[in-house]
Every structure is written in C-alpha cells, then in structure tokens.
Amino acid sequence: MTECIFCKIVEGTVPSKKVYENDTVLAFHDIQPAAPVHVLIIPKKHIPTMNEVGESDAALIAELFAAARHIARELGIAEAGYRLVNNVNKDGGQVVYHLHVHLIGGRKLGTLVSGDVS
Ligand code: AMP
Ligand code: ZN
C-alpha cells in the first residue's frame, strides 16, 4: 500500500476537493491555500519530483500545463493572471514528494525577486 498522500488522493482513500480530472491528471484545492485560488495539479502516476521526469513523460507534463490553463479559465483568473509553481526537493521547499504544480491566483502576487512566490 502506498504511503504517498497524493497517490491516496488519486486512489480516493484520502478525500480532496477535486476541480479537474482526466485519465492522466488530477487537480484539487490545496488544504492550506496561499491565495483565493490555490489548486494543485498532479499526474495520477507517481513521480517523486521534477528530477525524475523522463523523456517518456513529455505528454504528461504537457497535460499538467493544459489542465492549468483550463482550470485558470474555469475559475475566471486566466485574464487577470496567475502563477504556476513547482517546488523541487529541500531547498525548493518541496513537502509532498509526488510531482505537483501549484496554480495560485485570485489576488496580486508578490514578485519572485522579493522571495515571495506565494
Ligand atoms: P510542496 O511544498 O510544493 O510540496 O506543496 C505541498 C502542498 O500540498 C502544500 O501547499 C500543502 O498545503 C498541500 N497539501 C498537503 N496535503 C494535502 C491534502 N491532503 N490535500 C490538499 N493539499 C494538501
Ligand atoms: Zn504518489
């Protein structure tokens, strides 16, 4: 049995507030939102970090970004703007080791140079 919290969300053994799903990708609201819109977009397949993404995952990565575009439109923030974030390993601030893209928006976000990416 998997110990990965996001795999459990994919399996349905841990609940989530889903916003989008297809065969390969799932998106759900973050439990600790950093902004009015904070959605996590994950591949259903377990990949620990961006470092483990391989050549054969190209289509899957494209799916994550396609889902982000779709969700941003659906939630009405596409035109105002939003941020996509992928934290990698310790220094990147990664806490959950199942690849995910944060879709953050619904307010004016800080600049990256100030160190505020939330
Ligand atoms: P990261 O630091 O990039 O690994 O981000 C992990 C994110 O997952 C954090 O923003 C958490 O709030 C979020 N998170 C952790 N557990 C859950 C959960 N069960 N459902 C929804 N979001 C979660
Ligand atoms: Zn996983």
Side-chain angles (χ1 to χ4, degrees):
M1 214 182 77
T2 180
E3 287 306 307
C4 172
I5 184 85
F6 287 179
C7 281
K8 287 179 177 169
I9 285 174
V10 171
E11 287 168 0
T13 52
V14 165
S16 70
K17 288 187 186 172
K18 288 180 192 175
V19 293
Y20 178 81
E21 182 172 18
N22 67 22
D23 285 350
T24 53
V25 162
L26 176 66
F28 49 91
H29 290 284
D30 196 293
I31 38 164
Q32 283 191 294
V37 173
H38 189 165
V39 171
L40 301 175
I41 305 157
I42 73 169
K44 289 187 170 176
K45 166 186 165 182
H46 182 85
I47 302 173
T49 85
M50 186 58 78
N51 289 339
E52 285 75 40
V53 169
E55 294 287 329
S56 61
D57 296 316
L60 185 56
I61 298 304
E63 285 270 2
L64 293 180
F65 283 93
R69 290 195 298 274
H70 174 81
I71 295 161
R73 272 197 308 274
E74 289 285 306
L75 298 183
I77 61 167
E79 296 312 315
Y82 55 92
R83 182 168 293 159
L84 300 176
V85 175
N86 171 234
N87 297 324
V88 181
N89 281 340
K90 193 163 134 288
D91 281 2
Q94 187 171 5
V95 174
V96 177
Y97 282 79
H98 180 129
L99 185 68
H100 53 280
V101 174
H102 297 251
L103 164 57
I104 300 166
R107 66 168 168 81
K108 180 88 172 79
L109 300 169
T111 58
L112 281 170
V113 282
S114 73
D116 175 13
V117 296
S118 64

